[in-house]
Amino acid sequence: MTGEVPTRTERPRFDVAVRDVVPRLREGPRRESRRRRVAWVAVAALLVLVPVAFNLNRQSSFTASVELYPVSAGPYTPIRDPAWYRRLLGDPDLRLQMRPLLARAGFPEYGDVSLHWNYPHTAMILSGTADTPDDARAFVRALGLQIAGATGRRLAGRVGIDLNHIAVALRARPIHRAVARRLVRQQRELLALLQRAPGRVVNARRVDRPRLTRWADRVADAMPGAFPPRPAIAWAAVSGLFVAAALWAIGLLLFPPGAPAALSLRGLLGGRAARPRAPPRPRPRAAAAADGHPVQPLPPPATRLPRWGRIAGAVVLAGVGLFVLWAGRGAIFLGDEWAFVVDRRGGGLDSYLQPQNEQLVLLPVVAFKALFATVGLDHYQPYRVAIALAHLGCVALVFTIARRRVGTLPAALLSAPILAFGPGWQAIMSPINLGFLGSVLGGLGAMLALDRGTRRGDRAACGLLGVSLASSGLGLCFALGAAVEVLWGRDRRERAWIVVAPLFVFAAWHLGFNLNHERAGPLQPDRAPEFAFRAASDAFTSLFGLPLGVETAGRGYHRALELLSFAAFVAVAAVLTRRLRRSARLTPRVAMLLTTLLSFWLLAGVARAYTHQWYAGRYVYPAGVLILVLLAELVRGVRLGRRAIALAAGLAILAAALNANWLVEGGDRRRADSEILAARLGAVELARWRILPTYGVDAERANSVLAKDYFAATDDLGSPAMSPDRLARASRTARASADSVLASADLRILRFRADPGRSPTRVRLTGSAARFAKRRNGCLSVRPPAGLQVSARLTLPVQGIVLRARRGNVVVRVRRYGSTYLPPTQVLTSRRRPQLILALPDLSSRPWIAKLQSSRPFRIC
């Protein structure tokens, strides 16, 4: 055999062993060239000077203002002294009401608050300073309302003093009849004023946001998320140094000094200077390596999983399923699931084909109807098992698709982040999302069927696309992607029916049932790009355990995490675009996956941008699955070294652990909402004969389900409500929520002009009022000392109590199952207007506990 023996050329592998980290960091700085050192110094200076200059150009604080208009209240003229209003800032109730806002916005004191008259002297200007414009506006708006409330409390105190003076004057002897008549008229006017207790200032309805006068503040305001306060200049400089040091260390590890051109950054990005010259193409039979041994072609990944692999996969999936069920324990029906319970119980074609949120949900309706017929509403666990099985099916399909591209071990590492995909906990734990997971199952199954390239595989792909379309609107995105793959090939005319047939059936359903359906919100195509960008960034970082949704919202690092995700997604998208343009990686399957992803994000943005829920789990889960499948397709045929596999295994295990932690937190959040809703449903059932049919059970957790619809569903299918025994052991929040439902149904307050005839009461008082209580004529009379507020606790009898106060008011608060009293019901009483407080009987024997607070004498009969 003559001619040159072709040598085998291997691709450089970008893997770093753990044992090489310390030597590279130790020897790298010594081997760096002067040009690299100058470049790193320039980068560090840029990362320090740019944030410092940017923050020096920003304002440290912002001032917002609101106009306060002093008004008269009855016989009292307006107060125009700003010092008097400033003294109200020390009011204990005002500071108590402002405490939650100050703790959130970071206002330690009221020293920056100013009160002064405007130039025409028609209104007082209340100004407050905060770190951000939104915080300043919220602070000033809330403080203005609290000042108005404080003036009302001061007015009530002033009216009480004047009423006391009038009472002393009326008891004086002798007194002229005209003077007595005038004093009685003033007394009635003051009593009427005391019942209203108006504020002595009126707030302007609008509070303008402080203007941003500096360009740096306008740039910070234009960025996504809330307006960030200006950090300390030293902190900005130190942060820049840390970032520069981290980039320098990463550069020493990935691109060490003296590396070949293929390991340079330009070579990684696919630049021309770093691309090695293509070697001569070896002959099929005469190819040999430099050592004389023949070069064997890389074998394709095995298509059949060995027995030990099947056993290990089954064990892992079973463990994940049990973990998902454990994390979501204690839940009941929530949100849109009640729409299925209320509207999908009956028969007929409409109950199957009516759209839900403008989407065809045929298969989820079939699943729910089957569960309604077998387990009803008494047991929620079978519904959760169904959604958990759908999730495990998605994981198995991702692993199968990836294994046929990259092999068993890399496929297992690639599937690890979505085993317990915490950022998508809404899709994993809520059975209403069977539609989304059904579409994902149908779409991934269609991909596997299309890979077969046979007539039977094409028929299976057509049916699976129909399953995806019949599950949710996500199926339309899979159909568009499949259309791109089919039309990409040469036999597109013979295979077009794979997509046309299910789309034709979907179009017929849309014309028949969804064409004139009323939408829940407006279509907003102009906001679709923003929605798509945010959702894509969140899906990308969520795979690494760094979600941007409710899991991290409100935390101190959320803003930095959001900006990091945006930057990382832009960088990955740029690298991916460059590699696809310069290589032959844009295969029909890659085009299909990109079409499915982009159409999903854009269509979701058009239809759901008004909800601002771009980080919701039902959008993160499908996108995360498709991103992993796309990654497996892009690295198809690439063989990784041991070090690279070890590094990938560490990242996969870390991402899986972080996502499992977010899944547990999502389960806790869902369990807390379920407990509150179950308590409210239990209270609704206890007061079934008292509650109004149009009473909304829970507008937030049960999607405005009315009491009559709830009773109709539970009469047919059973009830998930909390029993009275369980209600007594529920959490504090759940018991208080149940008390609010029972109070609206059972408590009645009736006013009488005269004292109704009643038998003597046998109530027993406890609390500070018990020392001043005396029984007279079968009633309890409480006379506290002047200026001392007392409280009395008692158990409401079946016949109720008649409450009558003298020259004052009594604040009544009640509780039943809860350990805390409900918000007070202020019962304004007088000597001539007794009031009956009655708790109507219901299905519970637990009594009501009432707490009465007053600084004036009152009587209980």
Side-chain angles (χ1 to χ4, degrees), residues 108-417:
E109 296 295 339
Y110 294 87
D112 295 332
V113 176
S114 63
L115 279 161
H116 59 276
W117 283 98
N118 61 355
Y119 174 70
H121 294 282
T122 58
M124 276 192 311
I125 306 299
L126 171 66
S127 302
T129 303
D131 295 337
T132 66
D134 296 328
D135 288 342
R137 181 171 57 176
F139 171 70
V140 169
R141 182 190 291 118
L143 185 59
L145 296 175
Q146 292 302 325
I147 287 178
T151 58
R153 292 189 291 270
R154 290 293 180 92
L155 177 63
R158 176 66 183 276
V159 169
I161 295 174
D162 292 344
L163 285 174
N164 189 20
H165 291 166
I166 292 175
V168 172
L170 288 174
R171 285 195 294 267
R173 294 292 186 271
I175 183 173
H176 195 272
R177 182 175 297 178
V179 176
R181 192 180 298 112
R182 179 172 56 82
L183 291 176
V184 171
R185 187 167 56 252
Q186 291 179 1
Q187 188 181 37
R188 292 178 180 174
E189 184 181 0
L190 292 179
L191 286 174
L193 182 64
L194 184 62
Q195 292 183 1
R196 293 185 292 110
R200 305 190 69 174
V201 293
V202 176
N203 285 262
R205 293 186 177 181
R206 180 179 177 181
V207 181
D208 293 329
R209 189 171 186 258
R211 294 185 58 187
L212 304 178
T213 58
R214 300 187 179 183
W215 66 268
D217 291 323
R218 291 195 291 269
V219 171
D221 187 51
M223 291 183 179
F227 185 89
R230 190 185 80 169
I233 304 302
W235 175 251
V238 172
S239 301
L241 285 177
F242 273 114
V243 173
L247 292 177
W248 178 55
I250 293 173
L252 290 177
L253 292 175
L254 297 182
F255 313 107
L263 285 177
S264 64
L265 180 60
R266 192 172 182 181
L268 179 63
L269 297 179
R272 293 183 179 178
R275 297 174 68 183
R277 181 178 298 176
R281 186 174 181 179
R283 298 177 182 177
R285 298 182 180 272
D291 54 359
H293 297 287
V295 176
Q296 299 294 334
L298 294 176
T303 59
R304 184 175 180 82
L305 193 65
R307 183 177 181 182
W308 65 266
R310 293 195 295 271
I311 296 176
V315 171
V316 170
L317 290 179
V320 170
L322 294 176
F323 178 77
V324 170
L325 293 177
W326 172 83
R329 64 195 183 280
I332 66 169
F333 298 90
L334 287 175
D336 289 338
E337 295 168 11
W338 283 102
F340 275 35
V341 173
V342 172
D343 301 330
R344 308 280 183 172
R345 298 193 323 276
L349 195 61
D350 287 347
S351 64
Y352 289 92
L353 298 180
Q354 281 297 328
Q356 180 76 19
N357 295 330
E358 302 89 41
Q359 301 181 45
L360 175 61
V361 288
L362 175 60
L363 294 185
V365 169
V366 171
F368 267 77
K369 280 182 172 291
L371 292 171
F372 287 160
T374 54
V375 299
L377 302 183
D378 294 326
H379 305 285
Y380 190 65
Q381 197 71 9
Y383 298 85
R384 296 185 54 245
V385 171
I387 191 68
L389 290 177
H391 165 63
L392 296 181
C394 293
V395 175
L397 287 178
V398 170
F399 172 76
T400 303
I401 294 175
R403 184 174 57 85
R404 296 185 178 184
R405 269 75 179 167
V406 295
T408 302
L409 182 58
L413 298 179
L414 199 64
S415 307

Side-chain angles (χ1 to χ4, degrees), residues 431-612:
I432 192 63
N433 290 312
L434 274 171
F436 274 94
L437 269 64
S439 294
V440 175
L441 286 171
L444 296 181
M447 293 182 193
L448 286 175
L450 289 175
D451 287 340
R452 301 180 63 179
T454 62
R455 197 70 174 176
R456 180 178 298 179
D458 292 346
R459 287 194 293 268
C462 179
L464 290 171
L465 285 178
V467 170
S468 184
L469 285 168
S471 298
S472 71
L474 177 60
L476 185 60
C477 304
F478 279 104
L480 293 176
V484 170
E485 180 171 353
V486 170
L487 296 177
W488 194 285
R490 296 180 179 179
D491 53 350
R492 49 182 173 269
R493 293 184 179 180
E494 292 78 7
R495 305 181 68 194
W497 61 271
I498 300 175
V499 182
V500 172
L503 284 179
F504 178 79
V505 177
F506 180 81
W509 166 84
H510 179 74
L511 294 176
F513 291 89
N514 198 37
L515 187 61
N516 299 319
H517 184 71
E518 183 178 356
R519 285 189 46 81
L523 295 176
Q524 296 179 327
D526 56 324
R527 300 192 59 184
E530 178 190 3
F531 187 97
F533 178 73
R534 288 176 177 271
S537 303
D538 182 38
F540 178 74
T541 55
S542 294
L543 292 173
F544 297 95
L546 300 174
L548 302 177
V550 295
E551 297 83 4
T552 58
R555 307 188 184 222
Y557 58 85
H558 179 76
R559 175 72 176 183
L561 181 61
E562 197 173 36
L563 295 177
L564 176 63
S565 68
F566 294 162
F569 176 73
V570 170
V572 171
V575 173
L576 176 62
T577 303
R578 187 180 181 89
R579 298 291 291 181
L580 290 177
R581 190 183 59 169
R582 291 181 174 272
S583 63
R585 291 288 183 181
L586 188 56
T587 60
R589 179 54 55 84
V590 172
M592 172 192 181
L593 292 170
L594 290 176
T595 302
T596 305
L597 272 172
L598 293 178
S599 62
F600 170 58
W601 287 325
L602 291 175
L603 291 177
V606 171
R608 295 290 180 265
Y610 69 94
T611 62
H612 301 279

